[in-house]
């Protein structure tokens, strides 16, 4: 990773720091929300997410490795409810396990393909990570253990027969007053999904439970079955944009019944200009 900085409009970009801890290719990088300080997360093909923090925001030459998330290879297949903190109900268990089997474990070391930070100001440091094995996991920093832990494993990406297909992108929606979070993911199984995770108070019964927050998986909806390569939310987290290799950007929005529909398509013409459809 190379960190570039531009002093003013007339200056050129200069390399301020090089973060070279990854043992294989770096596949994704994203800065943390502002309220978490000057941090960034990088994911690489060695299956590790590394969290860096600037020691001095006025001197970008020095960054420390503040946390490491390693993708564990599980023996014997599907996800364990212990990883989810016992937060998921019956519907969540069925959907979570539907995309996971023994094949995923054997491919777990293929690496990190995408990540996205939770921007909620009242949440502890939290991010969602997509793997080339098809796995989609939410990780959260635990103050008690002083480490990042897998908090919820969302339904991953796989074929109808359970063969894992890689995750291409994930996006955590900005939350403006909602009681739940929305997380989008797309993969090589040609599925665009939106996962709904409910916000709640701490449920571990400790002294900090009243002020801490918990996440409870509620469900997943498949929006589209054509391959999307990139996805992005608008600033309020109400509209999701998806793009593929067909030159079309689709805009998705939930109706009053909570069902997601494509409300617009932007098609690129031969000159590279975009026009609206529908």
């Amino acid at each position: 990773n190379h960190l570039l900085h531009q002093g003013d409009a007339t200056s050129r970009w200069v390399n301020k720091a090089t973060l070279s801890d990854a043992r294989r290719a770096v596949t994704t990088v994203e800065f943390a929300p502002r309220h978490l300080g000057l941090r960034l997360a990088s994911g690489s093909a060695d299956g590790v997410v590394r969290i860096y923090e600037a020691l001095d925001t006025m001197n970008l030459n020095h960054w420390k490795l503040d946390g490491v998330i390693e993708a564990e290879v599980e023996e014997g297949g599907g996800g364990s409810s212990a990883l989810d903190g016992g937060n998921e109900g019956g519907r969540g268990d069925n959907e979570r396990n539907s995309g996971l089997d023994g094949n995923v474990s054997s491919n777990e070391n293929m690496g990190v393909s995408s990540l996205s930070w939770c921007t909620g100001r009242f949440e502890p440091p939290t991010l969602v990570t997509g793997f080339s094995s098809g796995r989609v996991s939410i990780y959260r920093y635990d103050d008690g253990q002083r480490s990042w832990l897998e908090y919820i494993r969302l339904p991953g990406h796989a074929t109808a027969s359970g063969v894992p297909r890689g995750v291409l992108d994930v996006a955590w929606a900005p939350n403006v007053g909602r009681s739940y979070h929305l997380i989008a993911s797309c993969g090589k199984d040609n599925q665009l999904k939106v996962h709904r995770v409910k916000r709640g108070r701490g449920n571990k019964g400790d002294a900090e439970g009243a002020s801490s927050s918990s996440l409870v998986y509620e469900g997943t909806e498949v929006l589209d079955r054509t391959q999307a390569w990139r996805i992005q939310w608008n600033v309020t987290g109400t509209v999701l944009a998806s793009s593929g290799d067909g030159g079309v950007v689709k805009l998705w929005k939930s109706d009053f019944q909570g069902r997601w529909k494509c409300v617009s398509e932007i098609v690129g013409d031969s000159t590279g200009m975009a026009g609206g459809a529908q």
Side-chain angles (χ1 to χ4, degrees), residues 5 40 55 62 68 71 81 87 131 146 157 170 172 185 197 249 255 270 275:
H5 179 263
L40 66 83
L55 297 177
H62 303 291
V68 174
S81 60
N87 288 330
F131 296 86
R146 302 181 66 84
H157 288 267
V170 293
W172 197 305
S185 67
V197 180
V249 176
D255 61 20
S270 58

Side-chain angles (χ1 to χ4, degrees), residues 76-90:
S80 168
S81 60
L83 293 175
D84 308 309
N87 288 330
E88 300 181 5

